Every structure is written in C-alpha cells, then in structure tokens.
Amino acid sequence: MTDTKQKTDTYLVTGGRRKEWSHGVVNPPVYRASTCLFETYAELRERCADPSAKKLFYGRKGTPTQWSLEEAITELEGGTGTMLYPSGIAAITGAILACVKAGDHILITDSAYEPTRTFANGLLRQMGIETTYYDPMVGAGIEELFRENTSLVVTEAPGSLTFEVQDLPAIIAAAKKRDLYVITDNTWATPLLLNPLTMGADISVHACTKYIGGHSDIMLGSATANKRTFKALQRTAYQLGQTCSPDDAFLASRGLRTLGVRLKAHEENALKVAAWLRERPEVATVLHPAFEECPGHEVWARDFAGSSGLFSIVLKGGDYADTAALVDDMKLFKMGFSWGGYESLILPSDPNGSRSATSWDAPGPLVRLHIGLEDTDDLIADLEAGLERYAAHIGAKD
Ligand SMILES: *Cc1c(COP(=O)(O)O)cnc(C)c1O
C-alpha cells in the first residue's frame, strides 16, 4: 500500500511528461492547433493511417497538451487509454454511448448525478434505450434486475448528494457473469482514492472540472477505459466530435501535479468540520463515507484509500425555505453548483427531485458542503453562526 501510494505521488509529478511533448520545460506547453502541416504526401499518408496514434494530425484529435494529460490520467487509473471531453457530463454521455445500442436496457444508480438521469430519460430513451434505476445499496442483488437485453450498469460511488457508497466489487462481479459493461463516475474519489478499472469496471469517468482542475476555472471531463472498451470509447468520441481546448487541458495537468497535497488537506479539513457538525443539536445526520452512519461506510473503509472534501448534512426540523436563514449570511461558505476547488461551498439540495427507485425520507432538509482549504476554525465559526440563525428562525415560527 505504502509502495503504491509513493509511486502515485511520484507519478503525479512526472506523469505524461514526455520529452518529445514538453521539449525540456517542466509543463508541456499549450499547443493551439486546428491545422497541422505535412511536408510530404508520404508523411500525410502515414499520419492519416492511424489518426488515433499520438502524432499531430488535426487539432480535433488533440495535441501534446491533451495527450500528456490523457497519459497521466490513464496511468493513475490503471487503464488502457483516456479520452477528454469539454465537460464531465460530456464524458459520462460519451462513455454511455460507447456501451449501448438501440434496443438495449441499462441500469443506473438512483443516487446518480442528476444530469446523467436527464440524459437517460431524454436522448437515450429517444434512441430506444430503456433505463431502470436501482437502489445504490443493491450490491449483488443487482443480478435480479438484469434482463435479456441489459448491456450496461452505471455506478457512482459515493452517490451525489446522499453519499451511499456502492459495493462496486459485488456489482462488477454480477455484471461480469453476464459480460455487461460497468461505468463508474469516480469524480468524488479522484484517481487517488479509488481505481474502478483495477476492480474490474470498464470505464472510469471524472469531472476534471472538480478536483483535478482544482481551481474552479475550467470545464473538462475524462473517461478512462480498459482494453476491451477503449476502442469503442475512442470511436464514439471521434464520431461525436468530442475534444477539449488545450488551455483547459494545460490547467488540468497543472492541477493534477498538486492533487495529492490538495486532496489530503481537503480530507483533513472535511473530517474536522464533519466531526464538529456531528455534535451540533441542529444536525440530524452527517452523510460522510468515513462515518459509520453513512450507508455503505464499511464498503468505503474496505475499498477506498481515503475521503475527499464533499459531504452532506441532514438538518433537524424545518424545510428547504428555512435553510435561507442558514445560507444567506455565510461569510466563507458561498452557494455554488460545482466543487473541488480550493474554496468552501454550501448548497441546500432536495434529493427527492432526482430519485425514482428509492425514496428519500429525512427529518429535515439536506445541505451539501464542500470543505475547502481555508482555516477550519474560520469555517466552523461560519457554520456555527449559520446553524444558530437556522435554529432561531425555526424557533421563531413555533
Ligand atoms: C460535477 C459532476 C459531474 C459533471 O461535471 P461537469 O464538468 O459539471 O459537466 C459529473 N459527475 C459528478 C459526480 C459531478 O459532481
């Protein structure tokens, strides 16, 4: 374990830094390109022969800036190859499309990132692909949901908003028996805390927009596939015309270099804040995979190398309208949809809007928190004042 960890930390520094791409500078430069020039007809024909080879061919197929990031993510995830996309959701939809055809049936966890559901209920349905949502805690029981035409299982661990940790080895084992594809949205864990491909999944997806970029200033997605799936993933991305700007790829590569230290700090800060919240009278539950009250905590402890900075709390009493008293006057925790940057964020969010296989029954509103790199005493003081406002607001109504 220590050995692997050490290699990972080293690889975060050196990964994807091929001399022929970087020409001796530490960071591979930003190559902006549409047209690539060929000197001879023979050269043109050679490069056209395999447009997926990492040789300059046409801007849409990438340049050393993108290839360097792809190579680093592939190595960190233990895959065969990585495709980059203009956003995390583009990576998810591109990965799903690589695994399905008209008439198929697929399974998606009920705790999935909401836009993944929107895609399944929209375009996929329109293309004749039917989706069944399943209980994220289903484990080996997923087998009972398989049909003759099931082709794919989409997992996300832990779940967006509600943080159920899925038993990926059990789900993957069941899927393998039927030769189904398994995709994991691995955004929360980053390639450092979980490697779904080494557990047998076929594609691991990241919203690089989050921790890999790490500075809240890019939109980017990646999908890393194993040997059996990479060709289909690549073909699909090419046909869809998916690509990303070299500037964003450069920023993501730069973010990746410090992911190890940033993630450690996010983890430590989040654990401190979560432990404090757990003792608060206004808080009913802390949904953090490292705490035993989080569904799937044992699975997290078994499979993950640690935790990141994103978790939720369920408040006691009140409703979503009351959360305004908490969130409106925060000094450090501002509201925002993305996360994974260095700043702390707070977001009241009702999971009921994006569930169908399971129901969300909670004693009060759910509030998602991203713990950034600020001083935890300051973060706790901000939350303390907010929770007091929330309690006073509810008390005043009684
Ligand atoms: C943010 C997010 C995405 C989508 O990423 P974008 O870059 O915003 O499209 C996908 N999955 C999870 C779990 C996310 O949090």
Side-chain angles (χ1 to χ4, degrees), residues 108-139:
I108 298 183
T109 175
D110 211 25
S111 57
Y113 181 64
E114 196 175 1
T116 303
R117 297 178 76 99
T118 310
F119 174 67
N121 299 342
L123 269 181
L124 282 187
R125 181 177 293 161
Q126 225 173 289
M127 290 166 60
I129 294 150
E130 194 191 344
T131 302
T132 299
Y133 294 95
Y134 64 89
D135 182 339
M137 301 312 290
V138 73

Side-chain angles (χ1 to χ4, degrees), residues 87-89 92 113 156 160 185 187 207 209-210 219-220 339:
S87 69
I89 196 64
I92 290 169
Y113 181 64
E156 185 178 320
S160 275
D185 184 334
T187 301
T209 308
K210 311 285 168 57
M219 298 298 303
L220 191 73
W339 47 272

